[in-house]
Amino acid sequence: MPRAAVIRFPGSNCEFETARALKNSGVDARIYNWNDIGKLSDARADAYVLPGGFSFQDRIRAGVIAAREEIMDLVFEEAMNGKPVLGICNGAQVLLESGLVPGWKPGSVQGALAGNLAPGRSGYLSGWIHLKAGPDAIQKCPWLCAMGTDSIPAPIAHAEGRFVFREEDMGKVGGHIGLTYCGVDGSAPQGWPENPNGSVLDIAGLMNSEGNVLAMMPHPERSLHLWQVPPDTPGHWGDLRRNSSLKDLEENPGPGAVIFKSLAKHLGVE
Amino acid sequence: MSRMPDREELRKVIASRGLAMTVEEAEKLSGYVDRMPTPLEFHLFDTMWSEHCSYKSSKPVLRTLPTDSPGVVIGPGEDAGVVSFCRHEGVEWDLVVAHESHNHPSQVLPVEGAATGVGGIVRDVYCMGARVTGSMDLLRFGDPEGSKGEITRGIVRGVVEGIWKYGNALGVPNMGGDTEFHPGYDDNCLVNVVAFGVVPHDRIVHSFVPEEAHKEPYVLILTGKPTDDTGFGGATFASADLDGEQGMGSVQVADPFLKRVLSEANQAVLDMLFEKGVKFGFKDLGAGGIACVTSELAAHGGLGIDVDLDAVPVSIKNLPPEVIACSETQERYGLAVPASVADDILAVYNEKFELPRLFPHCRAAVIGKFNSKPVYNVVCRGENAAETPINYITEGVVYQREESPVETKAQEPAERPCDPSSDLIKILTSVSGCSRKHIWSYYDSEVQGVTRLRPGEADSCVSVPVEGSRAGLAVSGDGNPWYGELDPFLGGAHAVGEAVRNVVATGATPMCATDCLNFGNPEDPEAFWQFKQAVAGIASACNALGFSGGNYPLPIVSGNVSFYNQSTGGKAIPPSPIVAVFGKIHDHRKATDIILRKEGNLVLLIGTRKDELGGSLFYRTCLKHRGGTVPVFRGSLEKKMADWVLGVIHDTRAYSVHDISGGGLAVAGAEMALASGKLGIEFSLDSNPVTLFSETPGYLVEVDPRFVEDVTLPEFVSVAGKVCSGCKVSGNGWSVDLGSLRGEWSDKLASIIWREEGF
């Protein structure tokens, strides 16, 4: 069975459900502490996941201190070797701060996750939005390769989720779009709240050039099962959620499962 | 130090140290130690004998609450209550619940006060050995548009910010709660917090040094944030009237980051101790800090302790011994463990989890040794800072308070004009009747991946806390201040009743309850009478609403009393008993929400409407009338209704369920339509204020039309209408298009409270 490493920094808080989500898709998962460098190095995992949370209390900037932890050298090396690496929420912030995504100059910070921009409010926002895969993402990204072209609902919970880039780099960003926010029917978002944080180009997930590293703000590990979908969700997933039998409610995957199924598919799990 | 002090000397000490104890209490303390007490002894006893810690006024009354039921594992007395929850793959899982207030700190410093409220309550659950799987906040604020509106709005925003900044970082899903506004809270808001978690039955940890410590050497390890001077005198502050910004220095400073790391480190330590098979005690540091945790761990295990304050990691040098011992620095725990494993434990905190690297001066350290001499002995810089017979510390004090009834006469309005459409719109767009969505949108309700129903989707939030098990946990907290001020007994009874209904409406069977009793000054006979009345109301409702069979009540397993909720001007808050109920649904897949499912379905009314609109949203919002006859609490009917609704849900015949409470039947129906978005309800009932707006307890249940052919409806159930297409609600001669009202209903609260931030 392929193995994934979930890396816990001080202040991470989604490591358990993230490991559960991986196992659920047939990928063995183990949680490593930030200082388990030797153990992680020996393990040579097949994939790496940086879970959500508030690593190092978001001191200075979300993700910036974790990105400079020694354990990230190992993740960096593995990413450069083409191993799949996923950062969810705070994990995405760490990936941006480590220069792995967008990765134009690996190791140098080329983009940022800035504070949410929303009309009349600041700070944290929790809720469900809709997502779809970027144009090249399904081919390129091991975390999205099982995704269809339809939109899926997904939960978000963050205060700094707005992807921003230098103006001179904007022309290059398009090729890195892993996931975008969208309307229920997959159409471009009509502002807030469909794009919940003001992210440029409606980006919800950003890849490196090769596509093996994905930094995403939504939380697929919280929408693993159909029963986790809110009953008032619009569209296809909402209909499924409201009208399923008890058996289906328990056994059917939720919309977020596809992220982990993609990895399993990529790693050859039947 | 050898001479007994006289009253004048004691009075001086009390004044100069800002103590809350009486001269009589100080004399009692002097008698215990047979000399002038040390500063540390003064502060320690001042905390232990504060209302907050000793329940000195409330204890005799609290004894009247029912606490016994077959599922109860640990009732009131320890840091949290414990009930048995479910069995999964051979493991017995228990539910751990705690409930307390952080009212005064939140009024003075809303962000920090609310944050430490969450921080304190989760510690109570963690220290029973449990993983915390949810928290809930029950908030009472003044009138945001009243004479003190600007201050109130700032407090609301601050409290919400404190809750999200702390709870989200900690990684504990927020399971909602409720928010009420009443001008009686203008000078004294209420922030009641609930936390809960699960633990395998054989891994419950107690907050006292174990018996084994009589035979082998045990030491006390202090872990967590380095001690500073924050929160010095916090329990005393909680036990006095609130005056302006006084007491700011008594508010603690919370650190959810450190708490999160500590929680994982604690789990690793507990795992190790269970693996080694050693017995140990574990307790969080709250009121009274090191002094309380060391003395209580020892005293409740029948031992004495030597505490070395020089071994305490501090972040400020040269603090006086009484400050090191009694400050309420957050994010600390004490462990009573065999000396032989101390080094292994220190290694987990200080090396594996690197506490010293993550926070300046933070580390776990051995600070005390238990011994068989029953003395509480504290040394600091080579001097004795305390030397007290230990049993006196935990013995406590009790006062019998005077009571005097408050006369209130049910004053009905002279006339009751009613235009159903415009009245319903008025209610739904009032600050009391509008959606609380904006508040929840700041809270992370889904971290841990165990959330089944979020705030706003159902009458209570539901989670699935034991991995792999189908057992669902439903929680709701309630308490209506408008009932409380008209009739404290009914305020208490309906707090239980409404929380029970909210849990039942999701299909969960109530297992236990917790209460937080928020009142004015207990030395005021009228305030004390209100307190007694409310407790009697809670007891009466709990006795009527037991679901464990036999004559067992719904047990109160944990709780808190918060007195002195009044400004120094003497205006007390409305009597505010707040009750949380915890229910279990064996199969979470059957859990019901409030979202209407199918056009043509029938909507059943459970609970015949009565003319009892006192304190109702209709009277308050539409008639601007605050009096009237509060709904009667009909215990046996309430139980029958709950049993019937649970039966329908368990037979999977209920499509959606919503309880009827604030705003009555019309508002309940409108809320179902608003939550659904695409469907509504056509009521086929009389359009009078009693039918539409009376808050007689009840439920609305959506069923298939065939249901009424298959099932004989009991006398308290009738067909009230049917599900129609379109987000609307209507009745004979009236109709409200809720689709166009939805934006206002949903944003109203933000447009009032967050206006200063540009909403």
Side-chain angles (χ1 to χ4, degrees):
Chain A
M1 193 191 276
R3 288 166 303 129
V6 176
I7 296 170
R8 163 160 79 194
F9 296 105
S12 298
N13 64 24
C14 303
E15 62 269 34
F16 296 107
E17 57 269 38
T18 303
R20 229 158 45 216
L22 288 157
K23 285 180 195 161
N24 196 60
S25 311
V27 178
D28 195 20
R30 210 178 134 181
I31 297 168
Y32 293 85
N33 253 15
W34 63 92
N35 51 11
D36 287 339
I37 300 166
K39 277 189 218 162
L40 183 65
S41 174
D42 293 345
R44 290 289 147 184
D46 299 299
Y48 296 82
V49 184
L50 313 183
F54 291 71
S55 62
F56 291 94
Q57 202 170 18
D58 287 354
R59 290 176 194 160
I60 305 174
R61 266 199 323 274
V64 68
I65 299 180
R68 279 145 189 80
E69 279 289 289
E70 198 184 334
I71 200 165
M72 281 304 293
D73 294 346
L74 191 68
V75 176
F76 195 91
E77 188 190 315
E78 291 282 79
M80 296 321 272
N81 290 336
K83 294 255 180 93
V85 177
L86 173 68
I88 302 169
C89 201
N90 185 238
Q93 294 161 338
V94 177
L95 287 179
L96 266 278
E97 292 289 349
S98 68
L100 273 170
V101 284
W104 295 313
K105 273 190 236 159
S108 136
V109 181
Q110 302 284 311
L113 281 159
N116 296 349
L117 270 188
R121 66 177 290 150
S122 58
Y124 212 82
L125 177 67
S126 296
W128 282 62
I129 44 74
H130 277 76
L131 285 179
K132 64 176 185 180
D136 307 327
I138 297 167
Q139 284 77 43
K140 260 166 88 170
C141 180
W143 302 99
L144 301 171
C145 62
M147 212 164 150
T149 49
D150 291 343
S151 74
I152 56 166
I156 55 153
H158 58 250
E160 290 95 17
R162 177 167 53 102
F163 282 96
V164 290
F165 306 92
R166 274 183 290 259
E167 205 161 316
E168 60 266 32
D169 291 334
M170 282 305 294
K172 297 190 276 185
V173 174
H176 292 264
I177 296 178
L179 294 162
T180 58
Y181 299 110
C182 63
V184 183
D185 57 0
S187 56
Q190 303 294 304
W192 194 85
E194 288 182 341
N195 175 338
N197 49 35
S199 193
V200 300
L201 304 174
D202 304 312
I203 296 174
L206 192 74
M207 305 180 292
N208 61 352
S209 305
E210 292 71 27
N212 62 312
V213 185
L214 175 67
M216 66 184 291
M217 289 312 295
H219 283 277
E221 81 283 12
R222 300 179 183 180
S223 54
L224 210 57
H225 309 288
L226 188 55
W227 58 260
Q228 290 172 313
V229 176
D232 55 354
T233 302
H236 166 69
W237 280 95
D239 289 339
L240 272 182
R241 161 67 177 81
R242 285 185 294 275
N243 303 323
S244 284
S245 66
L246 296 189
K247 188 167 173 290
D248 289 349
L249 199 57
E250 181 167 62
E251 293 174 2
N252 284 9
V258 71
I259 302 293
F260 305 99
K261 290 231 165 76
S262 292
L263 177 71
K265 182 179 161 190
H266 175 79
L267 297 175
V269 178
E270 282 306 307
Chain B
M1 228 166 80
S2 57
R3 193 181 55 84
M4 281 292 279
D6 61 32
R7 289 177 73 97
E8 197 43 44
E9 285 172 292
L10 290 172
R11 196 170 283 130
K12 272 187 195 152
V13 174
I14 289 170
S16 67
R17 297 204 157 265
L19 303 176
M21 65 169 57
T22 61
V23 176
E24 289 73 26
E25 286 169 345
E27 276 188 312
K28 188 169 162 182
L29 169 58
S30 307
Y32 284 167
V33 294
D34 202 23
R35 57 174 158 73
M36 176 65 125
T38 65
L40 198 164
E41 286 164 348
F42 269 116
H43 284 281
L44 170 58
F45 278 84
D46 198 49
T47 299
M48 298 304 278
W49 288 348
S50 69
E51 192 67 56
H52 182 79
C53 292
S54 71
Y55 295 91
K56 59 188 172 190
S57 302
S58 58
K59 214 183 269 173
V61 181
L62 295 178
R63 290 203 183 102
T64 61
L65 287 169
T67 57
D68 183 34
S69 184
V72 176
V73 177
I74 300 177
E78 288 204 49
D79 290 290
V82 182
V83 296
S84 103
F85 181 59
C86 75
R87 191 181 167 83
H88 181 62
E89 290 177 349
V91 179
E92 292 287 345
W93 286 85
D94 288 344
L95 173 72
V96 181
V97 298
H99 188 167
E100 67 179 24
S101 63
H102 227 225
N103 304 339
H104 286 184
S106 303
Q107 178 75 22
V108 177
L109 278 176
V111 181
E112 292 78 3
T116 45
V118 182
I121 201 69
V122 296
R123 271 201 312 277
D124 285 334
V125 176
Y126 279 128
C127 78
M128 304 299 288
R131 274 202 176 272
V132 180
T133 62
S135 71
M136 182 166 74
D137 312 281
L138 309 157
L139 311 175
R140 304 290 179 268
F141 300 111
D143 181 355
E145 298 181 292
S147 58
K148 297 190 175 172
E150 195 176 342
I151 296 170
T152 295
R153 296 193 294 272
I155 290 173
V156 181
R157 293 194 300 268
V159 165
V160 170
E161 184 182 336
I163 291 169
W164 79 252
K165 285 197 166 157
Y166 196 95
N168 296 0
L170 188 60
V172 170
N174 187 300
M175 297 275 106
D178 70 346
T179 307
E180 299 283 348
F181 300 92
H182 185 294
Y185 302 116
D186 277 354
D187 296 317
N188 195 129
C189 70
L190 301 184
V191 174
N192 283 195
V193 281
V194 171
F196 44 93
V198 288
V199 61
H201 183 73
D202 56 7
R203 289 189 45 143
I204 292 175
V205 179
H206 294 283
S207 48
F208 48 83
V209 63
E211 251 182 53
E212 283 70 9
H214 289 269
K215 289 173 239 140
E216 63 167 304
Y218 264 64
V219 294
L220 193 134
I221 290 178
L222 175 70
T223 186
K225 196 170 171 184
T227 297
D228 53 28
D229 58 355
T230 53
F232 183 59
T236 308
F237 171 51
S239 308
D241 292 352
L242 204 46
D243 180 19
E245 294 181 345
Q246 163 214 18
M248 267 200 195
S250 305
V251 180
Q252 309 87 340
V253 182
D255 189 328
F257 163 71
L258 197 54
K259 175 70 110 327
R260 171 68 194 154
V261 178
L262 260 183
S263 302
E264 290 308 318
N266 285 341
Q267 277 295 334
V269 165
L270 264 48
D271 286 347
M272 186 178 83
L273 292 172
F274 279 113
E275 204 172 299
K276 287 180 189 280
V278 301
K279 299 278 187 268
F280 61 99
F282 186 41
K283 188 169 171 59
D284 74 306
L285 274 75
I290 291 171
C292 280
V293 82
T294 50
S295 58
E296 288 188 1
L297 273 165
H300 291 148
L303 288 174
I305 186 168
D306 290 316
V307 179
D308 176 8
L309 291 183
D310 299 323
V312 173
V314 290
S315 56
I316 302 173
K317 281 184 186 159
N318 297 319
L319 290 171
E322 64 273 20
V323 175
I324 301 175
C326 298
S327 94
E328 296 180 8
T329 306
Q330 293 286 290
E331 328 307 359
R332 297 180 299 167
Y333 294 88
L335 281 139
V337 294
S340 56
V341 301
D343 285 345
D344 296 338
I345 293 172
L346 296 182
V348 173
Y349 288 116
N350 298 340
E351 290 162 36
K352 184 174 166 59
F353 284 88
E354 296 189 271
L355 293 186
R357 194 193 136 208
L358 299 181
F359 198 99
H361 311 292
C362 182
R363 67 190 162 87
V366 173
I367 66 154
K369 266 194 258 178
F370 294 92
N371 60 47
S372 52
K373 197 176 155 203
V375 175
Y376 182 63
N377 194 29
V378 182
V379 177
C380 186
R381 294 168 208 132
E383 296 205 8
N384 257 11
E387 193 174 2
T388 318
I390 199 156
N391 52 328
Y392 291 138
I393 301 177
T394 50
E395 181 190 69
V397 281
V398 173
Y399 290 111
Q400 295 292 338
R401 301 291 189 194
E402 298 289 314
E403 58 177 299
S404 160
V406 186
E407 290 300 330
T408 47
K409 221 168 130 199
Q411 194 82 48
E412 287 292 323
E415 287 182 323
R416 296 197 295 199
C418 175
D419 174 343
S421 300
S422 67
D423 287 339
L424 180 59
I425 291 170
K426 261 186 223 161
I427 291 173
L428 291 172
T429 54
S430 70
V431 72
S432 289
C434 68
S435 169
R436 302 299 187 239
K437 188 179 166 197
H438 192 82
I439 293 179
W440 308 320
S441 73
Y442 288 97
Y443 300 160
D444 188 342
S445 294
E446 299 179 306
V447 62
Q448 299 187 9
V450 297
T451 306
R452 171 74 167 82
L453 291 168
R454 284 143 288 255
E457 293 171 4
D459 282 356
S460 55
C461 284
V462 177
S463 66
V464 188
V466 175
E467 192 180 338
S469 164
R470 281 181 182 154
L473 172 68
V475 289
S476 178
D478 295 281
N480 186 331
W482 306 92
Y483 293 178
E485 72 176 351
L486 292 174
D487 188 326
F489 178 93
L490 287 174
H494 284 301
V496 178
E498 187 177 352
V500 161
R501 283 198 305 283
N502 283 334
V503 161
V504 164
T506 63
T509 304
M511 296 180 288
C512 67
T514 57
D515 61 354
C516 189
L517 304 161
N518 309 274
F519 292 84
N521 180 347
E523 297 154 56
D524 167 3
E526 293 198 341
F528 196 69
W529 176 84
Q530 292 174 330
F531 166 71
K532 279 188 78 173
Q533 285 290 303
V535 171
I538 292 173
S540 147
C542 284
N543 283 323
L545 291 171
F547 290 80
S548 299
N551 283 323
Y552 286 106
L554 179 66
I556 300 273
V557 295
S558 191
N560 173 240
V561 180
S562 173
F563 282 131
Y564 301 97
N565 288 294
Q566 58 189 68
S567 63
T568 40
K571 220 172 112 218
I573 58 162
S576 304
I578 295 178
V579 174
V581 168
F582 302 80
K584 176 189 174 181
I585 177 160
H586 287 278
D587 183 346
H588 77 79
R589 298 175 304 168
K590 294 184 179 178
T592 40
D593 51 56
I594 65 168
I595 286 134
L596 296 165
R597 290 300 199 273
K598 206 170 156 194
E599 187 181 350
N601 273 352
L602 297 181
V603 176
L604 302 181
L605 167 64
I606 290 81
T608 311
R609 305 294 83 202
K610 310 266 187 207
D611 190 346
E612 42 192 14
L613 287 120
S616 68
L617 262 171
F618 174 72
Y619 274 12
R620 282 149 46 206
T621 311
C622 305
L623 306 185
K624 307 285 174 216
H625 182 83
R626 252 169 90 170
T629 309
V630 174
V632 173
F633 183 78
R634 302 170 182 87
S636 64
L637 175 62
E638 190 83 61
K639 176 71 167 50
K640 273 189 222 160
M641 295 195 298
D643 285 335
W644 192 82
V645 170
L646 285 173
V648 179
I649 296 172
H650 294 167
D651 292 343
T652 63
R653 300 210 62 175
Y655 285 75
S656 61
V657 183
H658 193 12
D659 95 303
I660 300 174
S661 49
L665 173 139
V667 168
E671 285 171 348
M672 293 175 89
L674 285 160
S676 315
K678 285 182 180 166
L679 298 172
I681 300 176
E682 279 170 16
F683 285 112
S684 49
L685 304 167
D686 290 341
S687 300
N688 60 59
V690 173
T691 305
L692 296 177
F693 297 116
S694 172
E695 297 177 4
T696 305
Y699 303 82
L700 293 179
V701 179
E702 179 192 358
V703 295
D704 203 272
R706 285 190 308 269
F707 182 85
V708 290
E709 295 159 22
D710 304 344
V711 175
T712 313
L713 302 180
E715 22 71 52
F716 53 81
V717 178
S718 60
V719 176
K722 62 176 195 215
V723 178
C724 62
S725 68
C727 184
K728 64 184 180 188
V729 63
S730 64
N732 286 329
W734 64 277
S735 176
V736 175
D737 173 13
L738 295 167
S740 59
L741 199 70
R742 211 164 167 220
E744 196 182 349
W745 170 75
S746 167
D747 291 344
K748 186 72 183 184
L749 196 67
S751 72
I752 295 171
I753 307 280
W754 274 264
R755 68 174 81 156
E756 281 88 356
E757 294 191 357
F759 189 93

